[in-house]
Amino acid sequence: MTAPPQENALVNTQTAADAAPSQAAADLIEVRVSTIRYAAHDTNLYEFRRPDGKPLPPYQPGAHIDLHLPNGLIRQYSLIEPEPDPATYMITVKRDPASRGGSRCVHDDLRVGKVLTISAPRNNFPLVENANQVIFIAGGIGITPIWCMVQRLNKLGRACKLHYACRSRADMAFLQQLEAMGSSQFHFDDEHGGQVLDLASIVAEAAKDAHLYCCGPTPMLKAFEAATASWPRAHIHVEYFTPKQEADKKGGFVVELARSGQEFVIPEGMSILQVLLDAGVDVDYSCELGICGACEQRVLSGIPEHRDAILTEEEQASNTKVMICCAGCKSERLVLDL
């Protein structure tokens, strides 16, 4: 299943006007573009190395980095090579005709030798390496985190199954490598009369102890979640490129910071994050859409109105943590461990 073109970073967010640092400068890593290679139609591979030659922080499949672009935007991209001690990071970026500036900047402004900053890796889409069966479903550029997982399981000698859908063969990244590995089924919309991938059948045929992963455009993710609604949540893994829900900005509650004792009234039209940043509170953030996980905070009391795509249903129900970029509050007061 595919959808109209969309920005292919994990999130579309943050204009230059509001691009305050998402982490303290000390937490960012300076890298240089070392290689740019063709991957598919309008899709390139970008490799980064540290100018000082030092190794980069290790990561597990499913991880992503924040890329701080020359135009002031911040975008999140999945890392695609499962190296335990990486000297390089590699990402895949598809140019989006409707780009808000992220993919267009990457394609137009990044050249070999360009120096920029990135965050350390974060992982909200981890791979369960010891599962009895793993089934991957990827749509378009959603292959990027899944390609890393497939390589990892192949290296471990563990079997997995991949269903990969694109509009056409020309749009499919890593096609030759995946064909050589085997155990992959490819779906090209233009070769099926525009018919999309049948997710319900894939899920119905899966063993009940399987772990199912899906990454792709929003219509695919919603169809996947509908097909797996009766499955144990621990076996269903999804990564969104765009917000799952709009941020709750109804306001009308108080946020208390337990460590400092500060209190803030959250007005209508503003998020918790925006109010804290305006007040000079030092808090990490990046996407502002509830997808990257950078702004997660521990809840000490109160009942958040969750709107993120990071926490599981069980984690949201526990009300022990919250993404303050998009959450509201069901109680009169929300106390955070800040």
Side-chain angles (χ1 to χ4, degrees), residues 12-273:
N12 304 317
T13 179
Q14 203 164 0
T15 63
D18 61 16
S22 60
Q23 294 94 6
D27 295 329
L28 296 176
I29 304 167
E30 185 177 80
V31 295
R32 178 180 286 121
V33 181
S34 54
T35 304
I36 301 175
R37 300 203 305 270
Y38 176 86
H41 175 65
D42 279 341
T43 305
N44 291 337
L45 298 170
Y46 295 84
E47 181 186 80
F48 305 101
R49 293 176 179 267
R50 291 183 60 158
D52 58 14
K54 294 180 180 179
L56 290 157
Y59 63 91
Q60 296 297 318
H64 69 268
I65 56 172
D66 293 346
L67 194 63
H68 293 242
L69 295 171
N71 62 1
L73 300 177
I74 302 173
R75 294 292 187 265
Q76 291 74 34
Y77 294 100
S78 297
L79 296 167
I80 65 170
E81 293 193 331
E83 299 295 334
D85 297 302
T88 65
Y89 285 164
M90 188 173 290
I91 63 173
T92 309
V93 183
K94 182 175 179 65
R95 179 191 285 274
D96 178 5
S99 172
R100 299 186 194 180
S103 68
R104 184 172 61 247
C105 179
V106 171
H107 276 255
D108 293 349
D109 297 341
L110 293 195
R111 297 290 182 266
V112 172
K114 179 73 174 179
V115 174
L116 63 162
T117 56
I118 63 172
S119 70
R122 291 192 299 272
N123 198 339
N124 303 313
F125 195 44
L127 173 64
V128 179
E129 295 183 351
N130 61 351
N132 289 331
Q133 183 183 29
V134 178
I135 297 174
F136 298 114
I137 300 171
I141 200 62
I143 188 63
T144 51
I146 286 175
W147 170 230
C148 190
M149 296 179 183
V150 169
Q151 293 175 88
R152 173 63 175 167
L153 292 181
N154 186 66
K155 186 174 182 179
L156 293 174
R158 301 191 67 88
C160 63
K161 184 73 174 180
L162 169 65
H163 298 269
Y164 184 7
C166 268
R167 289 185 181 84
S168 69
R169 290 180 184 271
D171 291 308
M172 186 166 279
F174 315 118
L175 176 57
Q176 292 181 338
Q177 298 98 312
L178 287 165
E179 286 178 330
M181 283 184 179
S183 299
S184 297
Q185 292 187 5
F186 306 107
H187 177 98
F188 307 102
D189 292 357
D190 63 354
E191 297 179 15
H192 291 81
Q195 184 177 354
V196 299
L197 187 65
D198 186 355
L199 296 182
S201 294
I202 294 171
V203 172
E205 294 171 2
K208 291 306 178 183
D209 63 347
H211 279 254
L212 277 60
Y213 290 76
C214 187
C215 187
T218 301
M220 169 180 272
L221 298 179
K222 290 188 178 298
F224 174 76
E225 290 186 324
T228 58
S230 63
W231 280 63
R233 291 298 90 191
H235 286 235
I236 303 303
H237 312 272
V238 178
E239 183 154 74
Y240 273 78
F241 288 137
T242 53
K244 191 172 183 179
Q245 300 181 72
E246 290 189 6
D248 186 324
K249 294 187 177 181
K250 295 190 298 294
F253 59 94
V254 174
V255 168
E256 177 184 342
L257 308 187
R259 297 186 209 172
S260 67
Q262 294 173 284
E263 295 185 355
F264 302 93
V265 176
I266 309 301
E268 183 179 357
M270 293 188 70
S271 68
I272 299 171
L273 175 64

